[in-house]
Amino acid sequence: SGGGDDSTDTEDGESGGESTDSGGQQSGLDTTVLTGDGSSTVFPITNTASSYWNSNPEAGDEDYWPAEAAEEYGTDMRLADYFASQYGYEATEQRSVPPFRVSIALSHSGTGVEGVMEGRVDIGDSSASAEAELAGSDPSEETLNNFTDHVVGVDGQPIVVSREIADAGVESITIEELRQIYRQEITNWSEVGGPDREILALGRAEGSGTDTSFRANVFGDPNAPISPDQRFGQNQQLQTAIAQANNAIAYIALAFVEPDGATPPVDLVIDGTTYSYGDNLGAQDYPLSRDLHAYTWTGTSRKEAAFINFILSDFGQEHFVRAENYFALPDDRLQSQREKVAPSNYE
Amino acid sequence: MSEIEPTQRTDLAEQRLTTTGETDETTQAAWTEFQFEDDAKLAVEALDVYYGNEQALQSVSLDVPDESVTALIGPSGCGKSTFLRCLNRMNDRIKSARIEGSVALDGQEIYSDGVNLVELRKRVGMVFQEPNPFPKSIEDNISYGPRKHGDLDTGLLARLFGTDDAEEAQALVERALRRAALWEEVKDRLGDNALGLSGGQQQRLCIARCLAVDPDVILMDEPASALDPIATAKIEDLIEELAEDYSVVVVTHNMQQASRISDQTAVFLTGGELVEYGETEQIFENPQSQRVEDYITGKFG
Amino acid sequence: MSEIEPTQRTDLAEQRLTTTGETDETTQAAWTEFQFEDDAKLAVEALDVYYGNEQALQSVSLDVPDESVTALIGPSGCGKSTFLRCLNRMNDRIKSARIEGSVALDGQEIYSDGVNLVELRKRVGMVFQEPNPFPKSIEDNISYGPRKHGDLDTGLLARLFGTDDAEEAQALVERALRRAALWEEVKDRLGDNALGLSGGQQQRLCIARCLAVDPDVILMDEPASALDPIATAKIEDLIEELAEDYSVVVVTHNMQQASRISDQTAVFLTGGELVEYGETEQIFENPQSQRVEDYITGKFG
Amino acid sequence: MTQRLPQTREVPRRLRAAVRRRVERTKQRARDYRSRTEDGAIAMDGLVFASVIVTFLSFLAGSRWTVIPVVVFLASMGVGWYRYQAEAAKITTLLTTVITVSILTLIVAFLVIESVPAVRLMGLDLLTQIRNPTMDDPALGQGLWGRNDVWSLTPMMLGTAVTTLIATLIAAPIGIAGAVFVSEIAPRRVREVVKPGIELMAGIPSITYGFIGLTIVNQYFYLEFGTPTIGTYFAAGLMIGIMALPTVVTVAEDALNAVPESIKSGALAIGSTRWQTTKSVTIPAGLSGVSAGVLLGIGRAMGETMAATVMLTHTKGFPSPVFDVFSNYGETLTTVIAFEGGNASGVHMSALFAAGVVLFVMVMLLSVASQYVEWRMYQKLGGEQ
Amino acid sequence: MSSVTENRLAAADSTTGDLVSLGVIGVATLTFLASWLLLLQWVDETATVAGLSVLKLLGVGLAVIGGGLVVIGVGSRFDYIDTTPSSSAGAPVGVVFGVLWAILGGLAATLLLENAVVLWLPVAVVFGVVGFLASVLPGEDVGSTLPVAAILILLGVVVAIGGVNAGWTWSPDWSSASFPGSELVPILVVFGTLLGAWSAGKAKEGFGAEGRQAGAYYLIGSVVFAMLGVLGLLIGFIVTNGLQTTLTGASLLGGRQTIPFVGLQVAWPEFPFLLNQTGGLYVEIPGVLPALVGTLWLVVGAVSFAVPLGIGAAVFLTEYAERGRFTQVVEVATNGLWSTPSIVFGLFGLAFLVPRISGGNSIVVGQLVLGFMLLPLVLITSREAILAVPDARRDASAALGVTKWQTIRSVVLPAAMPGTITGVILGVGRIAGETAPLLLVFGGSPYPSTTPNVLGGFRFSAQPPFVTNEALLSPASALPYQLYSTITAGVFPKEIFTNTEFGWGTALVLLLVVVGLYAIGVGSRLYFRRKLHNE
Ligand SMILES: Nc1ncnc2c1ncn2[C@@H]1O[C@H](COP(=O)(O)OP(=O)(O)OP(=O)(O)O)[C@@H](O)[C@H]1O
Ligand SMILES: Nc1ncnc2c1ncn2[C@@H]1O[C@H](COP(=O)(O)OP(=O)(O)OP(=O)(O)O)[C@@H](O)[C@H]1O
Ligand SMILES: [Mg+2]
Ligand SMILES: [Mg+2]
Ligand SMILES: O=P([O-])([O-])[O-]
């Protein structure tokens, strides 16, 4: 079994563009697998991006890298080849062989933040801020400073219910009712204008960004004690559970809402304003809206930057963020995010 | 020793389940003259046993009289154990065994369809080569049979209602142990685990266990072969004593032992044939067949 | 059969590792007169063996002559096997065993410090009660010993360089099998697994395996007790033949066998004493001690 | 008092004597070793051991030079094998033993060491606390995990106990019945099919059970019995019980089979029925083995992770009444580790290690108990003297 | 009651009693099976047969069984039926019936009166005592039929007349779940029919020792039948659900394979589910190839780590070390570790190995962790196998003057190999299906689009550690992990399968792999055993 070879991933961030010398080498650049883990909310974005990236479609591929899109960038290179080449990577010119591979795992934000912090992964997906995620364990200032925050999209956290409940006429609830439901003070749908049926209050794992930001935004404290009936590790699992149940309510992410399917949204009334899906969830003042982060640790390496820049590109915002139902970043924020990973930093 | 008188035997062949194949006329001739009275305890007629395709016994017929010791001797693998196990149908437990012929206990065929094995084995007890006491107390070993047969009731319920047969049980245990000449040695530790006894004691315990269900016939398969000389002597004495009340059939590989304890002896030879059967003295002093003589004088085996 | 003549024996007691305790004068008296020539192959002197605190052999002294069969008889547990295993120090393998006294092979003490067990056991071979061939081919069983001793090189490397001793090996296998009277039966299937042989063949194979390392003395512990009469007869013939070249020591529980095959017989009795030792005929026809006579005539055992 | 004094003086003297004897024996061993072993072989032994120790130390330190001692090791071993095969073989096996034992020790030690911070913080409360005093609304059993520095394993221990109990209630009786059936009742031909079949089932991975449990069993209870959540202790326990069944059957059957045929024949030969033989002779004689099988099954159930992780609700608390196996609470020691292991640090991680230690101790106790009863059986059937 | 004193060597002919018992057993069997159909929801509880709802039919069945038992019991008591009962059914039976009656009484009291301990407890106690006495006081024939019959008839009638129907629910205070008649009735009927079959089985053999045997055998037989049924169903379920997914796009000769060097194209079996990547844009039929290869590497790594160590240690412990305290402790410890939950190993791997070896989830850490898990098993089984080599063989070798190590190498190890191999295969079967530790130390993307290229991943360099392997140091997927990912990752990225379909397909492949390994292990054990015994 292997001796004590050190990780190739733990040290690369600090030096900015310089990759470490061990591991596979191609033109002196680190081409080992770029790993990411964490938020199930961000997962659809980063995972779709990684699918595109790893498939490295040729320019003119109608499905994935259409000629018009390539033209906009003024290139005829393959997709990943093009975006990586800006960071000095050599094009492979082969389908399914990107300059370096990207592998995004799925868990929840806590794991992503923890993983990137301990060097287990390069990119930590998180749907709540690292600060809020770590709020329980009193992180030092220095620790927090070591996180480099890349916001890749925006979610307006929706409240969804089981189909049966929506069909029975529950269309909106107030934020106070929502709080009471998650404190087990309201336990029957009849109390909020629904059928006489127990409420199955579904939640996400403690440590998930969805749970953290829900508590922070609804209860005002990321550590506020709430007691859902059942917790799920990932949004996807939660989505399945809502579909299976006939009396459930849950907080989730936009990518997992099916207005006409098994996870219909309900309107949320806050201080007299009604926030409804497809309407004003993206609004700045919607208290449940949140940034979706892709954290790196102690700076951003060339490899990480290349991939994050890919997501932040117009092509990425269109295909990986909007296409997954999330809100793309507004232009000004996009600009400042792009600057953090601009190719010019790595020359 | 019971009186043995050669007479004609009843024809049990009618009751036979299957007809036998050809029998070796010459060897049969040597002893078929020698038969017991009508009331042979066990009458075996033309018994063939096969293990798979191997024939282990070839058309064996013999009568076991009551109140006497019948010894079965013969070289290893000649079918003595097989024969013995046929007498209480323990061979039924061996899947590959196939049995043809007839065995009658008190004139009643035991290889007929409706035979109740449990009843049969109550009446034809068996003691094995290796002592095999149950891992229970000495007492429980003895009373096991009667309790299972419902002759003794020492259950929780009976004790609850005060109708248990504790005293009878005690009496029965004592009687069986005395009968097996073990009482004096164990009377102070009836509650101890039987596995703590010495080999010879265990074997006598097994005999006592068998006596406790009050059988008519006791089958013993080399009961002393695993024992030291002193224990063997005790078992031999015991067998002779038992013959006063029971019909005892003993397999042994020790010819001295056979001559010491038995009233009549059957000699099997390799291939599963019964070569000679008769009064022990006669067999040992004046065997009719050369092969038996060779065997007995130690020319082989 | 070698000539046996009672003479004075050399005093090996000087070489003894430990002095013996008191010996039973009366029983010793009966046979100490009977001794062999100076050149006894194996000379055992005042051998005591203990298993933990139990004494299994009590000051046994006897000389085993060359080119003859020495039989050890006695009731079960009297220490025959123990004695035999002392002769090639197989008892060293039993943790609880403690051995005192002296055993000399060709006048050389085997219980001294520098003795090379491997050499000793090459010269004093052993055949066990149960045939125990290795689960290898017949050929490999025979050539196992020589190969391990480096007398034969049939390894992969040797084969690769064409320097292997395939022919010698073949010759050796044939010689050993012929000597053990097994060649004719197995010559066509030397490559077959030895476990496929019958019990008797297996036992002869074990003898052949032992012969293949060319020992001086062959020890056999009840080599025929697990076999049927025909196989037994073959082994007996073989033992008599082997006595022409080797010194053979055989333990047996079968007195007929002892009388048939051996030149001299040692009778052990319970407690581990050697009660009588002498020419076989004399022991069986005119034993000096009453206990031996009782034992031989089957009064017990 | 007067009698004790000499005794107390005796102790150090005995101790000293014992130590001296030990030292003597070690010296003797060393001498034996020297005289037995050739010089080259001794050198090889030394090199091999030294290089292994250096390898381990540099691995612990995370050095990238670990490879050097590894090469030294391989070289000395290779030369040694060629020159002194017997000695090299012995040293290799000794080495593998040492490595094996140290790996296993390392795992245990690491578990214990990592759990120290949690134990420091919580003390015995780690295992016993059932209320969080710092919370305004100290709902029984809630807020015991991570609120204001309270990390109590009690809810998870209860969860483990409940699921294990349910699983045992299902697996033990049915499993024993299965064992009795296979070894005592079934005709030979049936046995030859059923026995290996059941052994195969022991191999079905737990995640598969979990998938079935998640998609079918959970749904069934939720829809038909109106459980408050999709996934309850009962459903998980049921699934785990079914999962443990083949193990119990196999081991218990082996135990019944190991009861010597001679004892069974002995009972039959005095005219007891087969069932009486089974009930009064075979089962009592094989009882220790059967219980070993059950204990093993319990151990399996206790350590079962995946099925429980995907089926349970991951909310921590005490159902009221505690035996309400259909409540909305659902977390066990294993699931909490699997569910939170990825994003734990600090005391949280340490508390997870503590959960690991608790599991380890419980399973170890079960294992020792089952080995003990098996040993008892061996003693019993082998004669007790 | 006929007497037992007479020695019956031959059994009596079949009687009316036999016929009635047979009838009862028949009805019980049918009812038993029917209630399983309901429980498994293969038949809807609203279905009707001959105008009666199934539920009511079950009630009728129970009542009929009860009636039959009454006939037998009474008939036997008054000697209309020839039986040989013991004087009493015995304490264990009494206790069971007492408990059953107590439950019945208690439940009735809570339903009819009020749910208060003062009310139901005394009723339950009284019922319990009555049940107990009713079964132990009269002869065995009455005692083991009438108390059952009473319960069955009561239950049966209540159900049959609709007192408890599908819509009826029982929601006890102590339970968060409620029990509807549609489920409760079949469950009760399952137990009821078991009791009935037991009782009738006893009667069929005329009570007494043989009756008890028959009763016990009926009971055990039904339980085991149900157990095997459930286990078989589980497997059947996976197979039927997974088969379609697994076979998607598969064809025996549909594929094309070019013969290397010749360039000829030949027809080739095509099995996309096994041979395709899971994720990636250009995959039409997603498959489990990455997971399959990942599992393969895990197993290879774990085996090559654990087997030499385990066997070496086993040899030392059995052949060289003196048996004593030390070996005993090692034995106890290894046994304990073998049953230690896998997740604990995972935790260790996460906190100890990951930072030291790969820095993140990786194949090599997965291999090591699974290797640690396998190690105790290899040690235990090879130790057992070595111990099982008869000492006679060692003695034989020693008696030929062969040294210890040569004996070990040429005699002991070859003979111990079959046992060790069997053990290792079974162990591999177990670790190949292991998921929990992989969550923590191994798994990567839920829909991987490449297979780990371990063989091609080796890189040599002039600097320590000289050899690296990127693939080994990267996360990957394995079959059980793939199944878990599918469960958690929810939405499957391709249209062709739903998430669950892909899950069933993965489960089937996993099952085939693991159970296949087990089959090889069990089979090789049988083979070696036969070989040893035959020859
Ligand atoms: N269960 C069995 N299956 C197949 N063959 C058997 C079985 N039992 C015995 N045999 C064969 O039947 C023949 C007679 O065996 P049996 O045990 O009756 O001989 P025995 O006279 O009792 O021998 P021993 O003196 O060695 O006990 C032998 O050839 C034996 O191999
Ligand atoms: N390994 C051992 N450990 C302890 N005691 C032993 C051991 N081997 C033999 N004994 C005891 O030593 C005595 C002599 O045994 P040994 O095996 O030499 O007798 P034997 O004459 O060969 O008997 P048998 O004819 O039964 O083979 C017996 O009392 C036996 O119990
Ligand atoms: Mg026999
Ligand atoms: Mg012996
Ligand atoms: O985005 P989350 O999966 O952490 O909720």
Side-chain angles (χ1 to χ4, degrees), chain A:
Chain A
S1 66
D5 28 5
D6 246 351
S7 149
T8 54
D9 302 332
T10 45
E11 300 166 18
D12 41 12
E14 214 152 13
S15 44
E18 281 154 32
S19 64
T20 48
D21 45 15
S22 62
Q25 290 180 10
Q26 187 192 350
S27 60
L29 297 181
D30 176 14
T31 58
T32 53
V33 179
L34 175 74
T35 54
D37 193 0
S39 171
S40 60
T41 313
V42 188
F43 178 77
I45 300 175
T46 44
N47 182 55
T48 316
S50 81
S51 289
Y52 275 71
W53 182 274
N54 290 338
S55 298
N56 200 13
E58 67 269 20
D61 181 316
E62 278 315 308
D63 292 327
Y64 305 114
W65 185 218
E68 315 84 72
E71 257 161 43
E72 257 172 58
Y73 288 91
T75 182
D76 57 357
M77 290 171 87
R78 289 171 172 271
L79 182 61
D81 282 352
Y82 168 71
F83 281 97
S85 67
Q86 299 180 350
Y87 292 79
Y89 287 93
E90 231 166 68
T92 65
E93 297 177 6
Q94 284 174 56
R95 176 194 269 198
S96 298
V97 185
F100 58 85
R101 299 199 70 83
V102 180
S103 163
I104 304 293
L106 170 66
S107 48
H108 53 62
S109 304
T111 312
V113 167
E114 201 77 44
V116 76
M117 196 165 90
E118 287 172 5
R120 294 204 294 264
V121 286
D122 301 317
I123 293 179
D125 288 344
S126 178
S127 62
S129 71
E131 196 179 355
E133 275 301 323
L134 296 173
S137 58
D138 298 321
S140 67
E141 190 65 20
E142 195 197 333
T143 309
L144 289 177
N145 283 342
N146 276 330
F147 283 101
T148 311
D149 184 9
H150 304 279
V151 179
V152 294
V154 175
D155 176 36
Q157 193 174 40
I159 305 298
V160 294
V161 295
S162 294
R163 185 83 248 164
E164 284 84 350
I165 297 302
D167 288 348
V170 178
E171 279 170 2
S172 77
I173 57 171
T174 67
I175 194 160
E176 189 43 42
E177 286 169 342
L178 188 64
R179 288 190 192 113
Q180 286 177 321
I181 287 175
Y182 279 94
R183 280 197 218 109
Q184 298 284 354
E185 287 161 11
I186 294 180
T187 58
N188 198 297
W189 281 112
S190 60
E191 295 172 63
V192 292
D196 177 15
R197 200 180 274 181
E198 297 264 306
I199 296 179
L200 176 59
L202 299 181
R204 290 287 315 283
E206 295 191 56
S208 70
T210 308
D211 186 65
T212 307
S213 39
F214 178 74
R215 288 197 267 183
N217 297 338
V218 175
F219 292 85
D221 174 5
N223 272 325
I226 62 170
S227 27
D229 290 317
Q230 190 160 7
R231 290 182 181 275
F232 293 88
Q234 283 78 31
N235 279 330
Q236 289 83 346
Q237 251 179 314
L238 176 58
Q239 188 190 23
T240 318
I242 301 164
Q244 285 173 345
N246 54 22
N247 58 344
I249 183 170
Y251 46 93
I252 200 162
L254 281 172
F256 305 92
V257 177
E258 297 170 11
D260 305 316
T263 50
V266 289
D267 297 347
L268 190 58
V269 181
I270 303 171
D271 297 333
T273 321
T274 301
Y275 295 91
S276 36
Y277 178 81
D279 193 4
N280 53 356
L281 290 194
Q284 273 292 314
D285 58 342
Y286 178 51
L288 269 66
S289 92
R290 54 177 171 160
D291 287 347
L292 302 178
H293 313 260
Y295 283 106
T296 57
W297 183 247
T298 57
T300 309
S301 74
R302 179 182 294 265
K303 203 165 65 172
E304 292 156 1
F307 183 65
I308 290 172
N309 179 57
F310 175 53
I311 301 175
L312 290 174
S313 67
D314 291 338
F315 180 83
Q317 290 290 302
E318 180 60 35
H319 287 89
F320 315 143
V321 179
R322 263 193 223 104
E324 296 295 338
N325 265 343
Y326 293 117
F327 301 110
L329 287 176
D331 280 343
D332 51 335
R333 297 191 65 196
L334 204 52
Q335 230 35 63
S336 66
Q337 291 301 331
R338 281 180 185 163
E339 264 159 33
K340 278 193 243 173
V341 293
S344 52
N345 300 349
Y346 297 90
E347 268 152 16

Side-chain angles (χ1 to χ4, degrees), chain E residues 23-284:
Chain E
V24 171
I25 291 170
V27 174
T29 311
L30 284 179
T31 321
F32 180 77
L33 293 176
S35 37
W36 276 105
L37 289 184
L38 269 181
L39 273 180
L40 294 170
Q41 318 222 305
W42 289 350
V43 170
D44 198 65
E45 60 260 11
T46 53
T48 55
V49 175
L52 264 183
S53 83
V54 217
L55 226 47
K56 287 191 175 171
L57 266 181
L58 290 185
V60 172
L62 273 194
V64 169
I65 296 168
L69 291 180
V70 171
V71 170
I72 297 168
V74 175
S76 164
R77 173 71 186 80
F78 294 104
D79 283 345
Y80 296 123
I81 297 175
D82 185 24
T83 55
T84 51
S86 311
S87 60
S88 159
V93 173
V95 170
V96 171
F97 286 171
V99 170
L100 281 181
W101 276 58
I103 293 175
L104 203 71
L107 280 182
T110 33
L111 287 177
L112 296 177
L113 301 169
E114 199 182 322
N115 188 9
V117 181
V118 276
L119 284 177
W120 64 257
L121 192 63
V123 178
V125 170
V126 169
F127 266 75
V129 171
V130 170
F132 178 75
L133 292 180
S135 42
V136 299
L137 281 187
E140 190 192 14
D141 47 359
V142 174
S144 54
T145 51
L146 293 195
V148 192
I151 296 180
L152 297 187
I153 292 177
L154 186 71
L155 265 177
V157 167
V158 169
V159 173
I161 62 172
V164 170
N165 55 26
W168 180 89
T169 41
W170 175 49
S171 339
D173 287 347
W174 53 263
S175 159
S176 307
S178 48
F179 305 89
S182 57
E183 307 303 313
L184 206 54
V185 169
I187 291 175
L188 288 177
V189 171
V190 163
F191 287 106
T193 49
L194 284 180
L195 271 180
W198 168 77
S199 183
K202 271 180 98 162
K204 186 172 163 292
E205 294 298 321
F207 303 99
E210 298 190 39
R212 285 196 291 278
Q213 163 161 314
Y217 281 11
Y218 273 109
L219 201 60
I220 292 177
S222 330
V223 168
V224 171
F225 176 76
M227 170 184 91
L228 291 176
V230 167
L231 288 175
L233 265 183
L234 288 182
I235 291 186
F237 201 75
I238 297 169
V239 172
T240 46
N241 276 306
L243 206 56
Q244 202 192 346
T245 308
T246 331
L247 292 181
T248 307
S251 69
L252 212 50
L253 294 171
R256 284 272 168 270
Q257 177 87 1
T258 316
I259 301 176
F261 308 119
V262 183
L264 204 69
Q265 287 227 329
V266 289
W268 196 256
E270 200 172 36
F271 212 144
F273 192 78
L274 284 188
L275 299 177
N276 276 6
Q277 306 291 349
T278 317
L281 297 179
Y282 297 109
V283 179
E284 269 170 43

